[in-house]
Amino acid sequence: MRSPDPADFYDVRSLLSDDEQEVQDSVARFVDEQVLPIISDCFEEDRFPLELVPQMAEMGLFGCNLDGYGCAGLNNVSYGLVCQELERGDSGVRSFVSVQNSLCMYPIHRWGSEEQKKRWLPEMAAGRLIGCFGLTEPDGGSDPGTMRTRARRDGDDWILNGAKMWITNGTIADLAIVWAASDDGVLGFVVEKGTPGYEARDIRRKMSLRASITSELFFDDVRVPEANRLPEARGLAAPLACLTQARYGIAWGAVGAATACLEEAREFASARVLFGRPLDHTQTIQRRLADIVRRITTARLMALQLGRLKDAGRMHFAQVSLAKWNNVRMALDVAREVRDILGGGGITLDHHAIRHALNLESVITYEGTETIHELIVGRTITGVAAF
Amino acid sequence: MKILVAIKQVPDKNARLQIDESGTRIVETDLSWEINESDRYAVETALRLKEARGDGEVVVVTLGPERARKAISSALAMGADRGIHLVDPDFQGGDPLCVARALAAVTRAEDAPLVLCGTRADDDGYGETPILLAGLLDRPAVFLTIGVEPLDGDRLRVVRELEAARQEVSEIPLPAVLGIQSGIFDVRFTSLKGIMAAKKKPVSQPTPTELGLSAEQIGKAGRRLEVLSLAPPEKKGQCEFIEGKPEEVAATLVEKLRREAKVL
């Protein structure tokens, strides 16, 4: 009997189809060869590696789980594996793909007109158009029902006023999916770069997701044609459904970040000699490594079963909440733990753990804080909304 | 032009290999498998030749059990057009000459003017198959190929790697066999669309009879080379710490790598 692979202790990979393994291998190689060599510098320089976008497009990562319009049409487990491998590189790189896929291409694919789909999706799949998603506002993200951004009908157009905050890709986006309250409830609009009155500004001084662009969006009497409104999107359920898609990818991605930290910890603990023996010969370190493996293994299984449910059309958003909550909490705890195991060197970008730990501080907050996910699960258990 | 690429599925480079009780085979359970590295470069070379000419067909062929189908799928996902899987039990268990006979039969059946192979397999490492194949087909052959350029009139300009990074440039007529060296350029990333497209590409499974081969020419029955035993590398653990200032340590290390390890 062969000893289990520490990074995949229950051989979850054997539950994947050949195609799914092929997807994982291809993205893993991309991350090893193109992302990992540059990502620490990008983080330090507070720079998104825009140069990776053409290669990611070439590989078909954008819109990969959507059908038609230049998209690869993969299943959802494959999309999860894409996220897992990308986040093994960096949460910021995975965020870029999550936003392009789940938050921008998905709503156009699901609620857009045929004309809108043909106009934007192939260009987005090819990476020639980059999207951003405007839902969260400066006055608080956890209660999108109270959004202040307004859309007012004016003849054949709509006039948008308001502001959005914590918007990944904002300043590099060619189009923004913007959610605004109107007399007809929440509506979704595609606001194109260069539209008068629309402005994006980068949020500076971030200590997290530094290899990712985070922006504020401002709308000052922005005139958007009716042709740019997503006709089938009605009410808050639409943007929340986008969040479910993105949270699904995050639940997978977190496993990747934690795995990267585990590998780093194992390598360090076997090489570093302290008190005359390698660190990993001690009970203290072995218990900590074992605990990390336990946590990653459960999260990995959870992500896969979530994916199988999604592919079977049986995934409930509360199941996504449980996985996002569990897996990101797991990854953040693991990253902090590994940062500690690495000793003093662990605070530098010569190691990956500190970068993952800092990134995951964002990941645990965005796309629903832990509290929000606890309450979503709580509501599902009891049938009573406590928020 | 039709290009036939012979690929082999081998254990993952990082796999920890164990020898079975017979002492002559590795344990295959729980191993993960991949396309032999130089064979991946052969597929990439074929795809680049096809793209440069703007037409043609890239056909991948592998000899191996059911699991080897995955190697064909991977090559199809990279962009190859069609696969041939020599999966019949009679094909299995042969020596390099048996494999070369099967590949020669496929080459004739396909009427492929150009056959590309990896230089050698990462598992058994014989490095004989492409040479034997060229002999059986009576074709010119170039091994350790690091560059191929199509010329007018069905000729190829081929660059071959010699010792100490020296190079030889030659011109050969088609039909021909090339052994492709790894590391000659970047092998493309498999695209997700390619993976989806691969599912729809045809993979045939010709029998020995269909290829005009008799059982004693191939597989176990045709085998004349017998493996008596396999052995893991001997453990000769030796670790030397070089002490001193960083620049002194570096200088000593370079000296040792040059004089003792002879790797520089």
Side-chain angles (χ1 to χ4, degrees):
Chain A
M1 188 66 66
R2 252 167 247 278
S3 185
D5 173 3
D8 182 11
F9 209 71
Y10 272 26
D11 196 12
V12 175
R13 186 174 155 94
S14 67
L15 300 174
L16 303 175
S17 71
D18 285 353
D19 292 341
E20 290 161 354
Q21 291 187 11
E22 193 87 52
V23 169
Q24 180 173 26
D25 291 348
S26 184
V27 182
R29 187 183 147 217
F30 168 71
V31 169
D32 288 339
E33 293 181 12
Q34 309 266 318
V35 179
L36 289 176
I38 61 165
I39 200 65
S40 292
D41 288 343
C42 290
F43 188 95
E44 183 170 20
E45 292 158 12
D46 200 7
R47 175 179 87 78
F48 171 70
L50 201 57
E51 66 271 27
L52 296 179
V53 171
Q55 181 68 66
M56 291 196 280
E58 180 86 9
M59 292 177 70
L61 302 191
F62 304 141
C64 63
N65 57 337
L66 300 177
D67 283 320
Y69 310 99
C71 304
L74 296 176
N75 68 5
N76 290 294
V77 166
S78 297
Y79 175 46
L81 291 163
V82 169
C83 292
Q84 185 178 299
E85 289 305 322
L86 290 175
E87 196 146 359
R88 187 170 60 79
D90 190 83
S91 301
V93 177
R94 197 270 307 137
S95 294
F96 180 89
V97 174
S98 286
V99 168
Q100 182 82 349
N101 275 21
S102 297
L103 298 182
C104 296
M105 295 178 75
Y106 172 81
I108 294 172
H109 194 271
R110 177 154 177 195
W111 297 297
S113 65
E114 189 57 31
E115 191 191 344
Q116 290 172 336
K117 293 180 199 182
K118 283 182 180 157
R119 181 175 166 201
W120 288 308
L121 291 178
E123 290 294 295
M124 294 180 82
R128 286 189 291 268
L129 285 181
I130 292 171
C132 70
F133 178 86
L135 175 65
T136 299
E137 302 199 343
D139 295 332
S142 294
D143 185 12
T146 57
M147 73 171 66
R148 294 190 181 177
T149 301
R150 295 282 308 174
R152 176 171 54 81
R153 189 82 199 225
D154 184 39
D156 285 341
D157 299 329
W158 294 83
I159 308 296
L160 266 57
N161 277 289
K164 299 289 180 180
M165 187 76 172
W166 309 116
I167 308 305
T168 300
N169 299 347
T171 54
I172 55 167
D174 301 289
L175 52 89
I177 308 290
V178 179
W179 302 95
S182 75
D183 292 341
D184 298 332
V186 172
L187 298 174
F189 298 89
V190 180
V191 180
E192 294 172 86
K193 192 176 195 167
T195 307
Y198 167 46
E199 194 195 341
R201 267 183 239 153
D202 277 343
I203 296 171
R204 312 304 306 189
R205 297 160 67 88
K206 281 187 299 166
M207 290 290 110
S208 176
L209 292 183
R210 287 172 61 83
S212 169
I213 290 165
T214 314
S215 318
E216 291 176 89
L217 309 181
F218 301 96
F219 304 90
D220 182 10
D221 282 334
V222 177
R223 182 171 290 274
V224 180
E226 165 69 7
N228 279 30
R229 185 176 68 81
L230 298 174
E232 307 300 325
R234 293 251 165 224
L236 201 55
L240 292 181
C242 296
L243 296 185
T244 298
Q245 303 302 312
R247 289 166 179 174
Y248 167 80
I250 293 168
W252 280 85
V255 178
T259 306
C261 294
L262 165 68
E263 292 304 279
E264 187 165 50
R266 286 178 56 219
E267 194 177 319
F268 180 81
S270 72
R272 167 55 57 95
V273 176
L274 214 58
F275 301 108
R277 55 182 176 172
L279 274 186
D280 67 359
H281 289 206
T282 64
Q283 291 191 0
T284 319
I285 293 296
Q286 286 195 10
R287 288 186 67 211
R288 294 170 80 176
L289 291 176
D291 196 47
I292 290 170
V293 166
R294 173 183 65 82
R295 285 184 275 180
I296 292 176
T297 303
T298 50
R300 194 182 293 283
L301 283 162
M302 197 177 220
L304 180 62
Q305 174 60 6
L306 187 70
R308 294 289 180 230
L309 288 171
K310 185 161 165 55
D311 279 326
R314 297 200 292 124
M315 184 183 79
H316 188 275
F317 61 83
Q319 292 168 323
V320 183
S321 282
L322 189 71
K324 194 268 182 183
W325 163 29
N326 181 76
N327 290 8
V328 179
R329 165 52 61 189
M330 175 284 297
L332 178 58
D333 289 346
V334 164
R336 287 172 175 166
E337 182 86 9
V338 170
R339 209 296 308 146
D340 183 63
I341 290 172
L342 294 171
I347 68 163
T348 72
L349 286 172
D350 295 338
H351 294 280
H352 297 303
I354 186 79
R355 180 169 51 80
H356 282 300
L358 290 168
N359 282 340
L360 288 160
E361 295 287 353
S362 292
V363 180
I364 205 164
T365 300
Y366 74 19
E367 298 282 348
T369 62
E370 273 188 311
T371 309
I372 288 295
H373 290 300
E374 286 164 349
L375 294 176
I376 288 171
V377 174
R379 181 180 61 185
T380 305
I381 295 167
T382 62
V384 179
F387 57 105
Chain B
M1 181 174 60
K2 186 189 279 186
I3 306 172
L4 186 68
V5 188
I7 62 174
K8 182 179 184 185
Q9 192 189 42
V10 297
D12 185 308
K13 272 186 288 299
N14 303 317
R16 276 176 292 174
L17 300 179
Q18 293 172 345
I19 298 165
D20 74 3
E21 288 168 1
S22 76
T24 61
R25 297 177 58 85
I26 56 163
V27 180
E28 291 198 358
T29 27
D30 299 335
L31 273 185
S32 59
W33 302 82
E34 60 186 12
I35 299 182
N36 183 51
E37 190 181 7
S38 57
D39 298 352
R40 277 203 306 132
Y41 284 88
V43 175
E44 177 68 32
T45 304
L47 295 174
R48 287 183 184 210
L49 278 171
K50 180 185 160 181
E51 285 157 6
R53 293 172 69 112
D55 69 336
E57 186 184 24
V58 175
V59 182
V60 289
V61 55
T62 197
L63 187 157
E66 200 52 52
R67 61 166 161 75
R69 169 63 191 255
K70 198 179 167 195
I72 293 180
S73 301
S74 297
L76 296 177
M78 281 174 72
D81 300 294
R82 184 157 64 81
I84 299 172
H85 188 182
L86 305 178
V87 68
D88 189 288
D90 286 348
F91 284 118
Q92 317 304 320
D95 58 20
L97 181 57
C98 300
V99 175
R101 282 197 193 109
L103 293 176
V106 171
T107 309
R108 288 193 194 100
E110 287 287 330
D111 195 19
L114 181 60
V115 183
L116 304 183
C117 305
T119 286
R120 71 165 61 220
D122 296 333
D123 56 355
D124 56 27
Y126 284 115
E128 295 174 18
T129 307
I131 298 171
L132 292 166
L133 175 62
L136 291 170
L137 294 168
D138 192 24
R139 288 185 176 194
V142 176
F143 301 106
L144 295 169
T145 302
I146 55 171
V148 188
E149 192 188 318
L151 301 172
D152 292 338
D154 278 350
R155 299 179 71 80
L156 296 176
R157 185 176 171 277
V158 182
V159 186
R160 190 167 69 95
E161 182 181 53
L162 304 179
E163 284 301 310
R166 293 186 186 95
Q167 295 185 354
E168 175 195 83
V169 181
S170 55
E171 206 180 302
I172 58 164
L174 293 170
V177 176
L178 300 181
I180 305 294
Q181 175 68 304
S182 48
I184 57 181
F185 37 53
D186 288 333
V187 173
R188 67 197 59 200
F189 290 104
T190 302
S191 81
L192 308 191
K193 273 189 223 169
I195 293 169
M196 294 302 280
K199 292 187 193 183
K200 295 184 190 126
K201 294 178 178 174
V203 178
S204 62
Q205 300 187 343
T207 62
T209 318
E210 283 164 357
L211 292 171
L213 293 162
S214 62
E216 58 274 12
Q217 290 177 289
I218 52 169
K220 248 184 200 149
R223 183 176 192 113
R224 283 183 278 175
L225 183 153
E226 191 188 350
V227 176
L228 299 179
S229 69
L230 294 174
E234 273 183 52
K235 275 190 186 166
K236 284 193 280 191
Q238 198 183 335
C239 179
E240 184 182 342
F241 284 94
I242 305 169
E243 308 272 351
K245 290 181 191 163
E247 53 270 30
E248 293 166 4
V249 171
T252 312
L253 178 63
V254 169
E255 192 62 14
K256 282 178 178 292
L257 290 174
R258 192 173 284 151
R259 304 262 170 197
E260 295 174 22
K262 294 191 170 59
V263 292
L264 289 183

